[in-house]
Amino acid sequence: MSSITADSSSAAAGRSALRGALVAFASYAVFAFSDASIKILHGVIPSYQVAFIGALFGFAAVPFLKKREDEWLDMVRTSNRPLWLLRFVCGATGAISSVIAFTKLPMAEAFALLFLLPSFVTILSVIFLKEDVRWQRWTAVILGFVGVLIVLRPGFRELSVGHLCAAIGGLAAAISIVVNRALGSKEKRISLYGAGLFGTLIVSGLLMLSEVTMPTPTQWIFLASYGLLGACGSVLLLTAAQMAPANLVAPPQYSQMLWAIAFGYLLFNDSIDMPMAVGIVLIIFSGLLTLARERKRGTPLPTAVAGNTQAALVTAEDEKAAEGA
């Protein structure tokens, strides 16, 4: 009887993990649609205004992220105010930079640079958390940066502020993840999310004081799509993390590249040449290798890469709980 019960429990866990992985794929697809909404605006609305409106709509996710024992004020409460403020700044920096990147660059190219996030996490973890990183993870970092050089081809093609902002967006999200690791299990998920959300809202709001553009009804639709789909993606990602282990939730983020290529071809007349395709493959392989090594070491995995960069830590608390179980 006990073996039958164990087999039944194992099968149920397997089905839950499969559903979690499928929900993760759905969440990253939703993030890709959110990011496409940015590009459809064609830069007519200032980037900081797009980020501000996106953050306003981002509050739609809070009721789903809030646990029963959480209070609303926990969004601004923290066990470490300096690190919370660093997360605050990174949330604003990442959101605005990502909006600029998706506005200025082909979607696939923007994602290729944002996918440097795992490499940035490795480097920052060595510098600030004194983590022991072995040759396999350094190999992944090197491959990632080689891929970026192939994609960018400095000296052979013109680089823009979009390339810089995409790299800054990935770095900001990486700093946020390292901050989360430094905080450990003491910080509530709603506090981490609140830091990025309020950071984007306040910094972008201050920048808007110099210039505000009134969106047309059609532009409002895409602005709402950017914010609400980002919030929806965050909730789906949380659901996936509750159903499946982190090692099954993180890798599907690279499916966003397929959406980016499809959107670029169908909507924005983007094209990918052979060197860029090779570079993208190297960057994705680098990220997957990093995720595999961090899973083996039991390190919390980076989750989402999206224009709504505050989503990068949505599942952080649940991952830590799973690893401690």
Side-chain angles (χ1 to χ4, degrees):
M1 180 66 72
S2 60
S3 64
I4 294 176
T5 303
D7 290 343
S8 176
S9 299
S10 177
R15 287 193 295 271
S16 177
L18 176 60
R19 288 195 296 269
L22 292 176
V23 173
F25 274 107
S27 72
Y28 294 121
V30 170
F31 281 131
F33 275 84
S34 171
D35 296 329
S37 300
I38 298 172
K39 192 163 184 63
I40 288 176
L41 292 169
H42 299 295
V44 175
I45 308 296
S47 57
Y48 44 80
Q49 186 174 341
V50 174
F52 178 85
I53 295 173
L56 282 179
F57 283 110
F59 279 100
V62 175
F64 300 94
L65 303 178
K66 180 178 175 291
K67 293 185 176 181
R68 184 171 300 176
E69 65 273 17
D70 291 340
E71 299 179 7
W72 291 105
L73 283 177
D74 286 334
M75 291 187 70
V76 294
R77 288 175 179 153
T78 177
S79 60
N80 188 314
R81 185 60 63 186
L83 289 181
W84 189 91
L85 289 173
L86 180 57
R87 172 87 174 101
F88 177 100
V89 172
C90 287
T93 303
I96 296 171
S97 296
S98 297
V99 169
I100 296 173
F102 283 112
T103 299
K104 301 290 186 182
L105 299 177
M107 285 192 69
E109 197 165 343
F111 269 121
L113 293 172
L114 287 169
F115 281 152
L116 278 176
L117 186 153
S119 295
F120 286 143
V121 170
T122 296
I123 295 170
L124 292 172
S125 296
V126 170
I127 296 173
F128 296 106
L129 302 182
K130 309 302 180 185
E131 285 189 6
D132 178 27
V133 175
R134 298 185 179 179
W135 67 269
Q136 295 96 331
R137 289 173 73 195
W138 283 123
T139 300
V141 170
I142 293 170
L143 282 176
F145 282 105
V146 169
V148 168
L149 289 176
I150 294 175
V151 169
L152 298 183
R153 281 164 282 173
F156 294 92
R157 61 191 293 251
E158 184 179 355
L159 302 182
S160 70
V161 67
H163 295 97
L164 176 62
C165 286
I168 290 174
L171 180 59
I175 293 173
S176 293
I177 290 170
V178 173
V179 166
N180 174 63
R181 293 181 180 178
L183 287 169
S185 59
K186 298 172 291 185
E187 201 74 359
K188 292 185 176 182
R189 179 180 61 233
I190 194 172
S191 175
L192 293 169
Y193 188 78
L197 204 61
F198 282 114
T200 304
L201 199 67
I202 292 173
V203 174
S204 299
L206 291 173
L207 291 173
M208 282 174 58
L209 294 176
S210 62
E211 178 188 6
V212 176
T213 299
M214 182 56 65
T216 65
T218 301
Q219 289 167 347
W220 270 115
I221 292 174
F222 291 115
L223 288 168
S225 173
Y226 162 57
L228 290 176
L229 288 178
C232 179
S234 298
V235 174
L236 287 173
L237 193 58
L238 168 64
T239 303
Q242 293 173 333
M243 298 170 68
N247 62 286
L248 293 181
V249 173
Q253 68 180 288
Y254 291 98
S255 64
Q256 290 178 107
M257 184 60 73
L258 299 178
W259 287 106
I261 293 171
F263 286 140
Y265 179 76
L266 296 173
L267 299 178
F268 307 119
N269 296 317
D270 294 338
S271 61
I272 297 178
D273 56 23
M274 184 56 66
M276 186 178 295
V278 171
I280 288 172
V281 169
L282 279 176
I283 293 168
I284 292 176
F285 179 74
S286 162
L288 291 174
L289 181 59
T290 300
L291 293 176
R293 293 302 304 171
E294 296 204 343
R295 174 198 173 191
K296 188 173 181 179
R297 296 176 65 252
T299 306
L301 300 176
T303 51
V305 173
N308 281 346
T309 54
Q310 62 264 36
L313 292 178
V314 166
T315 61
E317 186 174 293
D318 298 276
E319 290 175 9
K320 287 180 286 190
E323 287 157 6

